[in-house]
Amino acid sequence: DQQVKQNSPSLSVQEGRISILNCDYTNSMFDYFLWYKKYPAEGPTFLISISSIKDKNEDGRFTVFLNKSAKHLSLHIVPSQPGDSAVYFCAADDTANTGNQFYFGTGTSLTVIP
Amino acid sequence: DVKVTQSSRYLVKRTGEKVFLECVQDMDHENMFWYRQDPGLGLRLIYFSYDVKMKEKGDIPEGYSVSREKKERFSLILESASTNQTSMYLCASRRGGSTYGYTFGSGTRLTVV
């Protein structure tokens, strides 16, 4: 059973506009969330994270929002650039669980059109 | 620069071959993971290890085994490769008990013919 879901397999955005990528989760014990970015033929790289004690975290053009009551997080990229074109995975963790594994969504492929 | 190194970027193997995928990390991380990535299916956990000689099954362990004889090295073994194991394989490591994320290797694109 998929505990983390990204319901949009793909997204296209014009350069300079906002990209919004969404992620939903089912496990209320998840308390730490991350976004990874992946280019073809490369490993994923860490982008931004958020703990459940916050509802927003910013890093430059990237902002992650967390809505715990809705079990929903989103990644905003403003302004979007062609180099942002990649697959984005959200991941969630229950840090009290000693398993130390993240649960990943299925990914959203973002295309930023110049 | 800390890193996770996967021994091969691309591999082509024949059906029925025994395949070894090697992963080495230099960060002294306790936890190591093997995932495969397939279109539309995201990242699926095959096996993970939280200590030397320890291993735990992930979501899709069938057809795979692992070995962790040293803390820095985690090997994925395909006992008898099949065409449905053609995939991108990703190794990751993570410090134990932390809120840090994974560090991933560059991946191995395995094609079984």
Side-chain angles (χ1 to χ4, degrees), chain A residues 1 7 15 31 36 59 67-68 72 74 78 83 105:
Chain A
D1 187 28
N7 292 319
E15 181 178 3
D31 58 355
Y36 280 88
D59 184 2
N67 182 332
K68 291 184 289 294
H72 177 83
S74 61
V78 184

Short mmCIF file of all heavy atoms in Angstrom, two decimals, chain A residues 1 7 15 31 36 59 67-68 72 74 78 83 105:
data_model
loop_
_atom_site.label_atom_id
_atom_site.label_comp_id
_atom_site.label_asym_id
_atom_site.label_seq_id
_atom_site.Cartn_x
_atom_site.Cartn_y
_atom_site.Cartn_z
N ASP A 1 0.85 -1.19 0.00
CA ASP A 1 0.00 0.00 0.00
C ASP A 1 0.89 1.24 0.00
O ASP A 1 1.77 1.38 0.84
CB ASP A 1 -0.92 -0.02 1.22
CG ASP A 1 -1.93 1.10 1.17
OD1 ASP A 1 -2.27 1.53 0.04
OD2 ASP A 1 -2.36 1.55 2.24
N ASN A 7 0.13 12.36 -7.13
CA ASN A 7 -0.92 12.00 -8.07
C ASN A 7 -0.73 12.59 -9.46
O ASN A 7 -1.44 12.20 -10.40
CB ASN A 7 -2.29 12.41 -7.51
CG ASN A 7 -2.66 11.57 -6.30
OD1 ASN A 7 -2.44 10.36 -6.28
ND2 ASN A 7 -3.21 12.20 -5.28
N GLU A 15 8.79 29.04 -18.19
CA GLU A 15 9.90 29.64 -17.47
C GLU A 15 9.45 30.94 -16.80
O GLU A 15 8.73 31.75 -17.41
CB GLU A 15 11.06 29.92 -18.43
CG GLU A 15 12.27 30.54 -17.78
CD GLU A 15 13.41 30.76 -18.76
OE1 GLU A 15 13.23 30.49 -19.98
OE2 GLU A 15 14.49 31.20 -18.32
N ASP A 31 6.67 12.35 10.42
CA ASP A 31 6.95 13.65 11.02
C ASP A 31 8.13 14.36 10.39
O ASP A 31 8.58 15.40 10.89
CB ASP A 31 7.14 13.49 12.54
CG ASP A 31 8.27 12.54 12.88
OD1 ASP A 31 8.84 11.91 11.96
OD2 ASP A 31 8.59 12.41 14.07
N TYR A 36 13.30 15.36 -3.12
CA TYR A 36 14.50 15.04 -3.88
C TYR A 36 14.25 15.38 -5.34
O TYR A 36 13.13 15.26 -5.85
CB TYR A 36 14.85 13.56 -3.77
CG TYR A 36 15.55 13.18 -2.50
CD1 TYR A 36 14.83 12.84 -1.36
CD2 TYR A 36 16.94 13.16 -2.42
CE1 TYR A 36 15.48 12.49 -0.19
CE2 TYR A 36 17.59 12.81 -1.25
CZ TYR A 36 16.85 12.48 -0.14
OH TYR A 36 17.49 12.14 1.02
N ASP A 59 14.01 27.83 1.00
CA ASP A 59 15.43 27.82 0.66
C ASP A 59 15.55 28.38 -0.75
O ASP A 59 15.38 27.67 -1.73
CB ASP A 59 15.99 26.41 0.74
CG ASP A 59 17.48 26.37 0.49
OD1 ASP A 59 18.10 27.44 0.30
OD2 ASP A 59 18.05 25.26 0.49
N ASN A 67 0.74 20.68 5.43
CA ASN A 67 -0.58 20.76 6.05
C ASN A 67 -0.85 19.43 6.73
O ASN A 67 -1.25 18.45 6.08
CB ASN A 67 -1.64 21.07 4.99
CG ASN A 67 -3.04 21.23 5.59
OD1 ASN A 67 -3.36 20.65 6.62
ND2 ASN A 67 -3.87 22.01 4.94
N LYS A 68 -0.57 19.38 8.03
CA LYS A 68 -0.65 18.10 8.75
C LYS A 68 -2.08 17.58 8.82
O LYS A 68 -2.31 16.37 8.74
CB LYS A 68 -0.06 18.25 10.15
CG LYS A 68 1.45 18.45 10.15
CD LYS A 68 2.00 18.50 11.55
CE LYS A 68 1.62 19.76 12.29
NZ LYS A 68 2.26 20.96 11.69
N HIS A 72 -0.84 16.59 3.70
CA HIS A 72 -0.49 17.08 2.37
C HIS A 72 0.72 18.00 2.46
O HIS A 72 0.82 18.83 3.37
CB HIS A 72 -1.68 17.86 1.78
CG HIS A 72 -1.40 18.46 0.44
ND1 HIS A 72 -1.51 17.75 -0.72
CD2 HIS A 72 -1.00 19.70 0.10
CE1 HIS A 72 -1.20 18.52 -1.74
NE2 HIS A 72 -0.90 19.73 -1.27
N SER A 74 3.45 20.35 -0.24
CA SER A 74 3.66 20.83 -1.59
C SER A 74 5.00 21.52 -1.69
O SER A 74 5.52 22.05 -0.70
CB SER A 74 2.53 21.77 -2.01
OG SER A 74 2.47 22.90 -1.16
N VAL A 78 9.75 29.09 -7.39
CA VAL A 78 9.48 30.41 -7.96
C VAL A 78 10.77 31.23 -8.06
O VAL A 78 11.42 31.41 -7.03
CB VAL A 78 8.47 31.21 -7.09
CG1 VAL A 78 8.13 32.55 -7.76
CG2 VAL A 78 7.21 30.41 -6.83
N GLY A 83 16.52 24.64 -15.99
CA GLY A 83 17.34 23.69 -15.26
C GLY A 83 16.60 22.96 -14.16
O GLY A 83 17.12 21.99 -13.60
N GLY A 105 7.21 8.84 -2.76
CA GLY A 105 6.15 8.90 -3.74
C GLY A 105 6.65 8.40 -5.09
O GLY A 105 7.82 8.06 -5.26
#
